[in-house]
């Protein structure tokens, strides 16, 4: 059969005249127009909004509910005749068919239409017929097959018959347009959405109105009414398909496919249509649910997609909504706008969740960006990260537009979206747990998008002058806050204190700036900082997987003759490799997201605002970087500060440390004096912060700020710390104070933690030492706050003693292990055991020698500036003992055991370390107390060691002649003083027991009585209290002020010593007489 002769698809039966009239009445009531009689001619419908009142919702649920309440039965007789017919001769139409299927409506005719000669004045009836035919592609004239543009028309036999019965001309008019739309729509194939027919009609009506030229009220009224009726029928088509004798079909009765098309698309929902819908929302309560349901469906579909899929149409649909505040307000009221029961559920079960879920951090996406990560070089990784950043940046820009539209849509939408953000924060506390279960929290990609968008919301009030920081309400958490911090650790308050404080509610509501500020602060904690923590954990996991795979590969040769076990090994290797590659891909993806410079610049700007705000709250002042800040802070801490969540300070530190490490180039222009002020404030007033790790991280922040960056040799913060007035006044005391405090942090790892903290403090002091102000402050501190300074120097010597002893003490073991490993014939097991021991010893030696080098340099720095402070009676003895002991190790007989292979990799360079120790001797050479202390060191001082040191310095050219002469002269003084001490010891070697110190066994010079009634020399108890502020006998707390001088005993000791000296002099005189 010829295709042209095939019968057209079956179309549904058209309703009979009675049913059509009943439906017409109901539709006209719904449309709000007059229920005109079919016989009326020429009368235009009343303007929009006039006529009968709109029926109550639900009153027109189905086309079957007619006025008499009975269900109409379709009559088979009156059908739309779409069978072919012979075309009239002379028309030029080649097809044997005259009447067309409705599916041919928009198909242009094969033969262009005949040219029409315009008439001077077209009758309004002809104009109406021509325009309505062009718009709706239907006709009641059996002789017309195409419209004026050449498109095929659908013949309406029922309406044509009615007009013939009325002796009316076969023309379409506004008063019969409703019937024409009804008949044409009913004839539309049931397997195609009716909206596919009506939406193009609407667009043609809009175009006709726009193309109308000149003032023509009648024409304009015809086109506007056509537009109104067309729109109403579009809405009926998806909300009440029964009116068109169609069964409900979820696939057809929706706006979703039209919203997913571009607005310029012929079958896409245009802005004019949506705008018309907005204007009719008040009079038609089905429109808003239609649009909200469509967006809910779009969101649900998007929740099944990833960034690998074609997600952009879904985002564009919401962007289209964002242009219409009424739609956003309707969306905000939709039940599933915030209907999630869990943290993961937010991403899929809320309206906005799936849009924020789209991210390159989705597992299936990152494995595409980083396919085969084990073989990717650095260039490929960076290229993939750049592509990732560009794609994500575009998507986040769209999200920003959407969220801004919600905020500006009105109070309802604004509050709803703030509630949505708050819900995200409140159910994601577990993202900061030590072990995170991804099934219980939102994904990293989702949380990163939330963080970035909230940063965007803060941009308008984050000016460089901090002019709006005063609008951030410190009492936010006492005014029914959206953000829940009940379970969060507080800066300096326990749970009961914070609960009691926040139980005192305040009246009023928080402003928008305050709401966004605290939401963004929480978002950084649970979003970007949690992602940063995950990246660090992934780095550890990757090393673990790589180590396991290496061990498995070592086992492969052993299984060469055991195929079953070899197969199991290969399967295990395959699984581990897959896990490793997923971890590497995710790690690269997170790094790529976090390294996006514009995002981090916004983040830093926000953290600057948090910094200034925290300092204002803590100091109870109007601080900004251009205003002074006085330290220490008030003794009475404001509860509003103490009860803040700890992450308010932690996020600042972590964010800046990340940027310092990975992208320091962006921080050069993004940091100000407030960062140094923050660190020094809470190091000086450290009692304001409870967490010792958080306080130590402030030191780390200053330390990172000293790293050379581009043209800044002292780092980003170095010049600020060296030259600004605030730093000059408070830095040295603040870091020295924390140097003392970190001795006891209350943590299980405090002993080792303190060395890392003090290493960083040394680097900060070295950075600023070029400014003489700090040298003057050190001198002043030794005079005005003697106990503080003595404690600092004592701990400095403790550290030097320990790290030098531990560091140098590892080299004999390393030397021995390296020697053993050179022995041939070692078994594989013995070799592996020795290599493991060697790695452990090397790691320890490296760490301790780094600390030892810095500690010695710091002592050299301080003794060159303030030699008299290091020769106080409380200090000088221990200092001399420490120097003598390490000098003997470096130049005495034990020095041979320090020779190891490649000593530089352990940061051990005797040619550098020895001269620095000698410099400390020379710095203190003018002090008689120091010379006496060195000479009196019975454990380590040896004349041979001093001479050997001079020989090494001379032969290795480690010192210039001037320093060599000074060293030799100092050694002579040591020898002379040693001889004098030896003679004195002979005189006092039989001292009564009550004259000797109970702990040290030395002859007391200044005996004091402790609270426990025991008697010690003052120097002994001072030394003890520097390290342990308790009575050595009862372990009760005490200070040096608690001791009582035993003047009577001191006088007895002095009298006895004088007697012994006199006796010794007499013995010398007798001996001289005998000799003569």
């Amino acid at each position: 059969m010829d295709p042209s002769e095939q019968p057209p698809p079956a179309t549904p039966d058209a309703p009979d005249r009675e049913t059509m009239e009943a439906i017409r009445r109901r539709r006209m009531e719904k449309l709000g127009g007059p229920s005109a009689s079919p016989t009326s001619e020429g009368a235009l419908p009343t303007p929009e909004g006039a006529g009968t009142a709109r029926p109550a919702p639900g009153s027109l649920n189905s086309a079957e509910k007619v006025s008499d309440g009975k269900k109409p039965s379709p009559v088979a007789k009156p059908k739309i005749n779409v069978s072919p017919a012979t075309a009239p001769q002379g028309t030029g139409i080649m097809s044997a068919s005259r009447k067309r299927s409705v599916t041919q409506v928009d198909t242009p005719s094969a033969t262009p239409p005949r040219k029409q000669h315009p008439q001077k004045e077209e009758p309004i009836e002809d104009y109406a017929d021509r325009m309505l035919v062009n718009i709706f592609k239907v006709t009641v004239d059996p002789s017309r097959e195409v419209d004026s543009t050449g498109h095929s028309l659908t013949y309406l036999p029922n309406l044509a018959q009615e007009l013939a019965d009325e002796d009316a001309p076969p023309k379409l008019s506004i008063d019969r347009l409703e019937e024409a739309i009804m008949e044409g729509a009913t004839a539309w194939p049931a397997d195609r959405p009716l909206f596919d027919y009506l939406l193009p009609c609407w667009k043609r009506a809009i175009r006709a109105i726009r193309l109308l030229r000149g003032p023509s009220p009648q024409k304009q009224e015809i086109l506007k009414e056509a537009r109104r009726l067309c729109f109403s029928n579009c809405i009926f088509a998806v909300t009440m398909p029964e009116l068109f004798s169609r069964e409900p079909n979820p696939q057809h009765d929706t706006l979703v496919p039209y919203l997913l098309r571009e607005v310029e698309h012929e079958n896409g929902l245009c802005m004019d249509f949506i705008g018309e819908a907005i204007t009719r929302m008040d009079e038609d309560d089905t429109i808003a649910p239609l649009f909200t349901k469509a967006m809910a469906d779009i969101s649900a579909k998007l929740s099944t997609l990833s960034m690998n899929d074609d997600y952009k149409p879904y985002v564009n649909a919401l962007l289209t909504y964002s242009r219409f505040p009424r739609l956003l307000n309707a969306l905000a009221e939709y039940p599933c706008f915030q209907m999630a029961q869990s943290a993961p559920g937010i991403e899929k079960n809320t309206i906005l969740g799936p849009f924020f879920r789209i991210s390159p951090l989705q597992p299936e996406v990152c494995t595409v960006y980083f396919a085969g990560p084990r073989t990717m070089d650095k260039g490929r990784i960076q290229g993939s990260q750049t592509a990732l950043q560009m794609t994500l940046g575009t998507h986040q820009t769209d999200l920003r537009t959407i969220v801004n539209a919600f905020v500006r849509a009105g109070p309802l939408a604004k509050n709803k979206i703030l509630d949505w953000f708050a819900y995200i924060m409140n159910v994601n506390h577990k993202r900061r747990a030590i072990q995170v279960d991804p099934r219980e929290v939102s994904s990293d990609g989702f949380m990163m998008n939330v963080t970035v968008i909230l940063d965007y919301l803060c941009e308008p009030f984050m000016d460089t002058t901090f002019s709006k920081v005063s609008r951030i309400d410190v009492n936010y958490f006492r005014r029914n806050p959206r953000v829940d911090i009940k379970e969060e650790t507080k800066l300096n308050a326990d749970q009961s204190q914070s609960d009691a404080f926040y139980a005192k509610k305040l009246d009023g509501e928080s402003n928008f700036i305050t709401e966004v500020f605290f939401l963004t602060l929480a978002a950084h904690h649970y979003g970007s900082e949690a992602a940063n923590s995950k990246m660090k954990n992934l780095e550890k996991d990757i090393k673990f997987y790589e180590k396991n795979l290496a061990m498995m590969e070592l086992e492969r040769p052993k299984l060469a003759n055991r195929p079953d076990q070899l197969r199991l090994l290969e399967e295990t290797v395959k699984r581990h490799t897959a896990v490793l590659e997923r971890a590497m891909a995710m790690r690269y993806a997170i790094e790529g997201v976090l390294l996006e410079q514009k995002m981090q610049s916004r983040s830093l700007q926000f953290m600057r605002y948090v910094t200034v705000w925290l300092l204002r709250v803590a100091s109870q002042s109007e601080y900004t970087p251009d205003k002074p800040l006085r330290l220490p802070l008030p003794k009475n801490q404001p509860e509003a500060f103490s009860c803040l969540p700890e992450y308010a300070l932690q996020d600042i530190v972590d964010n800046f440390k990340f940027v310092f490490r990975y992208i320091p180039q962006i921080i050069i222009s993004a940091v100000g004096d407030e960062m140094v002020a923050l660190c020094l404030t809470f190091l000086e007033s450290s009692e304001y912060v409870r967490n010792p790790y958080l306080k130590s991280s402030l030191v780390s922040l200053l330390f990172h700020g000293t790293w050379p960056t581009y043209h800044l040799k002292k780092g980003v913060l170095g010049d600020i710390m060296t030259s600004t007035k605030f730093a000059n006044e408070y830095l040295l005391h603040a870091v020295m104070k924390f140097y003392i405090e970190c001795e006891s942090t209350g943590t299980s790892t405090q002993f080792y933690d303190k060395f890392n903290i003090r290493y960083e403090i040394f680097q900060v002091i070295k950075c600023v030492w070029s400014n003489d102000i700090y040298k003057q402050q050190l001198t002043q501190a030794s005079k005005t706050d003697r106990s503080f300074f003595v404690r600092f120097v004592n701990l400095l010597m403790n550290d030097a003693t320990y790290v030098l002893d531990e560091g140098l003490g590892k080299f004999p073991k390393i030397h021995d292990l390296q020697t053993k490993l050179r022995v041939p014939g070692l078994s594989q097991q013995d070799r592996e055991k020795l290599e493991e021991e060697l790695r452990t010893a090397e790691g320890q030696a490296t760490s301790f020698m780094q600390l030892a080098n810095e500690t010695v340099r710091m002592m050299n720095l301080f003794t060159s500036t303030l030699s008299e402070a290091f020769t106080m009676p409380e200090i000088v003895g221990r200092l001399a003992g420490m120097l003598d002991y390490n000098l003997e190790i470096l130049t005495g007989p034990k020095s041979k055991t320090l020779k190891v292979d490649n000593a530089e990799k352990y940061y051990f360079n005797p040619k550098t370390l020895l001269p620095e120790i000698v410099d400390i001797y020379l710095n203190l050479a003018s002090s008689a107390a120091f010379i006496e202390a060195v000479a009196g060191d019975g454990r380590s001082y040896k004349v041979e060691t001093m001479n050997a040191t001079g020989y090494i310095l001379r032969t290795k050219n480690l010192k210039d002649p001037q320093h060599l002469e000074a060293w030799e002269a100092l050694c002579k003084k040591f020898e002379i003083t040693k001889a004098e001490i030896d003679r004195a010891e002979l005189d006092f070697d039989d001292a009564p027991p009550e004259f000797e110190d109970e702990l040290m066994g030395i002859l007391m010079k200044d005996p004091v009585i402790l609270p426990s009634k025991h008697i010690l020399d003052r120097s002994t108890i001072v030394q003890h209290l520097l390290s342990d502020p308790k009575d050595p006998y009862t372990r009760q707390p005490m200070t040096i002020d608690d001791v009582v001088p035993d003047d009577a005993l001191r006088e007895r000791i002095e009298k006895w010593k004088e007697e012994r000296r006199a006796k010794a002099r007499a013995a010398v005189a007798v001996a001289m007489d005998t000799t003569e």
Side-chain angles (χ1 to χ4, degrees):
M1 178 184 293
D2 186 88
S4 63
E5 297 178 356
Q6 292 181 359
T11 56
D13 294 339
D16 59 17
R17 186 182 298 265
E18 181 182 356
T19 303
M20 286 284 288
E21 181 61 23
I23 292 176
R24 173 182 171 78
R25 287 197 302 270
R26 291 176 49 217
R27 287 160 57 83
M28 294 305 292
E29 291 175 357
K30 188 72 175 175
L31 291 170
S35 181
S37 169
T39 59
S40 61
E41 295 183 14
L44 290 173
T46 56
E48 181 177 345
T52 58
R54 187 174 73 252
S59 62
L60 294 176
N61 293 332
S62 168
E64 297 171 354
K65 297 181 180 179
V66 293
S67 58
D68 59 0
K70 296 181 180 180
K71 180 177 180 180
S73 57
V75 180
K77 185 177 180 179
K79 292 185 178 179
I80 299 176
N81 186 358
V82 292
S83 58
T86 303
Q89 293 182 356
T91 61
I93 299 176
M94 303 301 296
S95 172
S97 172
R98 184 183 62 82
K99 296 183 181 179
R100 286 78 58 205
S101 168
V102 75
T103 57
Q104 298 174 323
V105 167
D106 292 329
T107 304
S109 174
T111 302
R114 289 177 297 178
K115 293 183 179 179
Q116 300 291 333
H117 298 285
Q119 298 178 358
K120 292 183 179 180
E121 290 186 8
E122 183 182 21
I124 194 66
E125 294 83 1
D126 292 347
Y127 174 82
D129 177 63
R130 179 170 60 83
M131 295 307 300
L132 296 179
V133 167
N134 287 342
I135 291 171
F136 294 98
K137 305 302 180 187
V138 294
T139 182
V140 291
D141 185 352
S143 65
R144 296 181 66 181
E145 295 185 353
V146 295
D147 63 6
S148 59
T149 61
H151 285 81
S152 298
L153 301 177
T154 298
Y155 179 60
L156 305 178
N158 292 344
L159 181 57
Q161 184 62 45
E162 289 183 15
L163 293 175
D165 293 345
E166 299 168 6
D167 293 328
K171 296 180 181 180
L172 289 179
S173 62
I174 286 297
D175 62 325
R176 308 308 290 267
L177 180 58
E178 176 66 16
E179 297 168 67
I181 295 175
M182 165 66 77
E183 188 171 349
T186 305
W188 187 257
D191 59 346
R192 293 182 60 184
L194 184 54
F195 207 74
D196 282 354
Y197 165 63
L198 293 171
L199 181 59
C201 296
W202 156 266
K203 293 189 174 183
R204 289 190 290 270
I206 292 296
R207 283 196 293 268
I209 294 174
R210 289 176 178 168
L211 293 173
L212 187 63
R213 295 179 181 179
S216 179
Q218 285 185 308
K219 294 180 180 180
Q220 191 174 37
E221 193 169 5
I222 290 169
L223 295 178
K224 286 186 176 180
E225 183 65 11
R227 180 188 65 181
R228 186 183 75 86
L229 292 174
C230 184
F231 178 84
S232 298
N233 281 278
C234 284
I235 299 300
F236 293 151
V238 290
T239 59
M240 303 173 66
E242 304 90 349
L243 292 178
F244 303 94
S245 301
R246 300 169 69 93
E247 294 295 328
N249 185 339
Q251 300 300 319
H252 294 176
D253 307 335
T254 177
L255 298 179
V256 170
Y258 310 95
L259 287 166
L260 294 179
R261 299 184 184 116
E262 295 291 337
V263 292
E264 295 83 7
H265 191 280
E266 181 63 24
N267 283 331
L269 219 56
C270 62
M271 294 297 177
D272 291 318
F273 187 93
I274 300 175
E276 182 74 12
I278 300 300
T279 61
R280 295 208 192 183
M281 276 188 179
D282 291 332
E283 63 186 55
D284 190 342
D285 54 8
T286 64
I287 294 177
L290 177 64
F291 278 85
T292 54
K293 177 63 167 59
M295 186 50 64
D297 292 342
I298 289 173
S299 176
K301 288 185 178 181
L302 182 59
S303 68
T304 64
L305 305 181
S306 71
M307 192 168 267
N308 290 339
D309 302 308
D310 186 18
Y311 67 91
K312 191 63 177 176
Y314 299 82
V315 178
N316 287 340
L318 188 53
L319 282 171
T320 300
Y321 273 45
S322 68
R323 301 185 184 186
F324 302 95
R326 286 287 299 273
L327 285 183
L328 296 183
N329 280 290
L331 271 182
E333 291 186 285
Y334 196 71
C336 70
F337 186 81
Q338 194 172 322
M339 191 173 64
Q341 302 299 322
S342 64
I346 299 171
E347 300 184 37
K348 293 191 175 184
N349 301 328
T350 63
I351 293 286
L352 295 179
F355 295 90
F356 278 78
R357 179 174 174 268
I358 295 295
S359 169
L361 299 186
Q362 291 173 290
E364 62 269 36
V365 179
C366 64
T367 53
V368 172
Y369 274 102
F370 304 97
R374 299 178 72 191
T375 60
M376 294 180 73
D377 58 28
K378 188 174 181 181
R380 284 184 58 201
I381 292 170
Q382 290 180 345
S384 296
Q385 289 176 337
T386 300
L388 172 155
Q389 291 169 356
M390 293 175 64
T391 304
L392 181 60
T394 301
H395 179 56
Q396 288 174 342
T397 300
D398 291 340
L399 294 179
R400 175 191 186 184
T401 302
I402 292 166
V403 171
N404 274 332
F406 270 96
V407 170
R408 291 175 169 82
L412 173 65
K414 180 177 71 175
N415 287 321
K416 285 289 186 179
I417 200 165
L418 291 179
D419 289 340
W420 184 72
F421 281 128
Y423 183 76
I424 294 169
M425 306 307 151
N426 295 336
V427 297
N428 273 294
H429 288 196
K430 290 184 179 180
R431 279 180 58 82
R432 297 315 305 267
I434 297 176
Q435 296 292 333
V436 180
D437 186 347
R439 296 168 300 181
E440 297 180 353
V441 296
S442 298
S443 66
D444 293 296
F446 175 82
M447 293 301 296
M448 279 301 305
N449 284 336
V450 168
T451 305
V452 169
I453 299 311
L454 284 170
D455 272 340
Y456 273 127
L457 286 182
C458 293
E459 273 190 320
F461 65 81
M462 290 194 304
D463 60 320
T464 56
T465 62
F466 302 92
S467 62
K468 297 180 181 178
V469 70
S470 59
R471 298 189 61 185
I472 302 172
D473 185 5
V474 69
N475 291 312
Y476 168 77
F477 291 109
R478 301 174 68 188
R479 301 184 193 277
N480 297 315
R482 286 183 164 91
V483 180
D484 179 17
I485 62 166
K486 181 177 177 60
E487 302 301 325
E488 288 293 338
T489 304
K490 306 305 186 293
L491 273 171
N492 199 25
D494 56 30
Q495 191 67 45
S496 60
Q497 288 174 312
S498 64
D499 287 348
F501 176 70
Y502 289 126
K504 304 170 185 175
K505 294 294 183 182
L506 298 178
D507 296 331
E509 295 182 356
S510 299
N511 58 57
F512 179 72
I513 289 179
T514 300
E515 292 279 8
V516 174
F517 176 83
F518 284 103
L519 281 171
T520 308
L521 188 59
H524 275 277
H525 185 59
Y526 304 119
S528 57
E529 297 307 325
N532 188 11
S533 296
K534 181 173 181 177
M535 186 174 72
K536 294 177 183 177
N537 291 333
L538 283 172
E539 291 172 355
K540 297 177 183 177
D541 293 344
I542 290 169
K543 291 179 180 178
F544 175 78
Y545 298 143
E546 289 176 336
K547 181 179 178 182
N548 281 356
L549 281 172
M551 293 174 63
M552 291 179 194
E553 292 299 332
L554 291 175
E555 294 296 316
R556 188 183 294 275
K558 301 177 183 178
L559 303 177
N561 298 323
R562 288 177 278 182
D564 292 341
Q565 294 187 18
L566 183 60
R567 186 175 62 258
L568 291 174
L569 176 66
E570 290 175 347
E571 291 176 356
T572 304
V573 168
K574 185 177 180 180
R575 289 196 304 270
H576 275 68
T577 302
V579 173
L580 171 62
E581 292 194 341
R582 286 197 298 270
M584 293 179 71
M586 180 59 73
R587 191 256 180 216
Y588 291 146
I590 293 177
E591 184 181 60
V593 171
L594 292 177
L595 292 183
E596 208 284 311
Q597 295 188 16
K598 292 181 180 178
M599 180 270 290
Q600 287 292 356
S601 296
R602 287 189 300 272
S603 177
L604 287 179
Q605 181 64 14
F606 175 74
M607 290 305 166
R608 290 186 66 192
Y609 245 74
V610 180
T611 298
V612 172
W613 181 78
L614 273 180
L615 290 173
R616 292 166 68 96
V617 176
S619 63
Q620 303 175 60
S621 68
E622 298 298 316
Y623 168 78
T624 53
D626 59 341
K627 295 179 181 178
L629 181 64
R630 300 298 305 171
L631 298 182
L633 296 175
K635 290 185 178 180
N636 296 325
Q637 299 181 27
E639 281 190 288
F641 176 85
S642 301
C643 295
L644 284 173
E646 191 176 85
Y647 65 69
L649 181 57
Q650 185 71 59
D651 287 356
I652 299 173
V653 176
D654 290 345
N655 191 264
F656 273 89
K657 285 169 66 176
F658 177 85
V659 175
F660 273 129
R661 179 179 178 184
Y662 292 103
I663 39 178
Q665 62 270 24
I666 72 169
I667 206 171
I668 295 175
S669 59
V671 71
D673 296 356
E674 71 281 344
M675 193 52 55
V676 172
L678 176 81
C679 296
L680 298 187
T681 296
F682 294 115
L683 289 175
E684 180 65 38
S685 298
S686 56
E687 65 277 7
Y688 270 61
V689 180
R690 175 175 295 188
N691 186 343
Y693 288 114
L694 185 51
K695 288 186 280 190
S696 66
S697 64
L698 297 173
V699 175
S700 297
L701 194 56
L702 293 177
F703 167 58
H704 289 165
T706 65
W707 293 353
T709 304
Y710 296 99
H711 62 286
L712 302 175
K713 295 182 179 180
K714 289 187 175 183
V716 177
L717 299 180
D719 290 335
I720 297 175
M721 292 189 291
T722 303
S723 57
T724 59
K725 181 179 179 182
F726 181 84
N728 292 162
E729 190 171 355
Y730 299 113
L731 185 144
L732 187 62
H733 187 272
V735 296
M736 288 175 64
K737 180 175 182 287
F738 195 67
Y739 187 102
I740 295 171
E741 287 184 8
C742 70
E743 179 72 17
S744 177
T745 60
T747 63
S748 58
T749 58
Q750 65 180 19
F751 182 77
Y752 297 100
D753 291 339
K754 67 182 180 183
F755 293 116
N756 294 324
I757 297 169
R758 288 169 178 172
Y759 173 85
E760 294 177 346
I761 289 175
F762 292 155
Q763 303 309 308
V764 173
I765 293 177
K766 281 170 57 180
C767 177
V768 303
W769 201 246
S770 59
N771 191 336
D772 290 340
I773 289 179
Y774 292 108
K775 301 173 185 177
Q776 297 168 12
Q777 286 183 357
L778 187 66
T779 303
Q780 187 67 22
S782 67
K783 297 176 180 178
T784 59
D785 197 351
R786 183 185 177 98
S787 62
F788 172 83
F789 186 79
V790 168
R791 288 185 67 196
F792 171 75
V793 174
N794 179 71
L795 292 172
L796 183 63
M797 289 191 299
N798 285 349
D799 290 350
T801 302
Y802 179 80
V803 296
L804 278 169
D805 188 43
E806 288 294 318
L808 297 176
K810 293 292 182 294
F811 291 113
K813 184 175 182 179
I814 293 174
H815 175 84
D816 182 54
L817 290 169
Q818 289 177 342
T819 303
K820 289 180 179 179
L821 284 169
R822 294 192 191 99
V823 176
L826 277 177
S827 67
Q828 182 66 25
Q829 183 176 0
D830 290 342
R831 181 172 293 277
E832 290 178 359
K833 182 178 179 181
L834 290 174
E835 288 175 346
E836 181 63 29
E837 290 183 26
L838 179 61
R839 281 193 294 270
T840 302
E842 287 179 336
Q844 293 173 341
T846 301
S847 298
F848 283 120
M849 285 311 302
Q850 283 183 280
L851 294 169
N853 292 334
E854 292 304 323
T855 306
V856 171
R857 290 189 190 112
M858 194 54 50
M859 292 187 67
N860 194 353
L861 208 64
F862 284 171
T863 55
S864 64
T865 302
L866 194 61
S867 59
E868 63 272 17
F870 284 81
T871 57
M872 296 177 181
E874 304 94 326
I875 296 171
V876 67
R878 294 190 64 240
L879 175 60
M882 182 270 291
L883 294 173
D884 291 343
Y885 175 76
N886 288 291
L887 195 65
E888 183 183 12
I889 291 178
L890 289 173
T891 62
K894 296 180 180 179
S895 62
K896 296 180 180 179
T897 63
L898 301 179
K899 294 181 180 180
V900 294
D901 298 336
N902 195 14
E904 291 78 11
K905 78 175 184 178
Y906 312 118
Y907 297 91
F908 175 50
N909 186 352
K911 293 182 180 180
T912 301
L913 182 59
L914 178 60
E916 288 182 341
I917 292 178
V918 169
D919 283 340
I920 298 175
Y921 277 98
L922 296 177
N923 291 338
L924 304 176
S926 60
S927 170
F930 175 69
I931 294 173
E932 183 178 351
V934 171
D937 177 19
R939 184 185 69 161
S940 302
Y941 172 76
K942 294 181 179 64
V943 175
E944 297 81 2
T945 300
M946 298 296 171
N947 293 335
T949 300
Y951 175 78
I952 293 172
L953 294 174
R954 187 181 304 105
T955 57
K956 301 293 184 181
N957 294 320
L958 301 180
K959 284 291 181 183
D960 57 43
Q962 182 180 356
H963 285 94
L964 289 173
E965 289 178 7
W967 174 253
E968 291 172 356
L970 181 59
C971 290
K972 288 293 184 183
K973 292 181 181 180
F974 290 151
E975 289 184 42
I976 295 170
T977 306
K978 173 65 174 173
E980 294 175 354
I981 292 173
D982 289 345
R983 285 195 298 270
E985 287 182 351
L986 290 174
D987 296 336
F988 304 141
D989 61 350
D990 58 346
E994 65 269 23
F995 292 176
E996 294 181 346
D997 184 278
E998 295 182 12
L999 292 180
M1000 304 301 293
I1002 61 173
L1003 182 65
M1004 291 187 287
K1005 295 180 180 179
D1006 185 8
V1008 293
I1009 304 172
L1010 307 187
S1012 59
K1013 305 306 180 185
H1014 289 267
I1015 300 175
L1016 297 177
D1017 191 72
R1018 182 181 292 275
S1019 63
T1020 301
I1021 189 61
V1022 166
Q1023 290 279 350
H1024 171 80
L1025 293 177
L1026 288 174
S1027 302
D1028 185 5
K1030 295 178 182 178
D1031 190 307
Y1033 296 96
T1034 62
R1035 307 301 300 157
Q1036 295 299 313
M1038 67 166 291
T1039 65
I1040 192 63
D1041 296 330
D1042 296 328
V1043 303
V1044 178
D1046 193 339
D1047 294 333
L1049 179 58
R1050 179 173 53 78
E1051 291 174 0
R1052 288 173 57 200
I1053 293 173
E1054 289 296 329
K1055 182 178 180 181
W1056 178 83
K1057 288 169 67 177
E1058 185 59 36
E1059 290 174 354
R1060 297 296 293 173
R1061 292 191 189 99
K1063 185 176 179 180
R1065 287 194 294 269
V1068 171
V1070 171
M1072 291 177 66
D1073 291 342
T1074 303
T1075 301
E1076 292 174 356

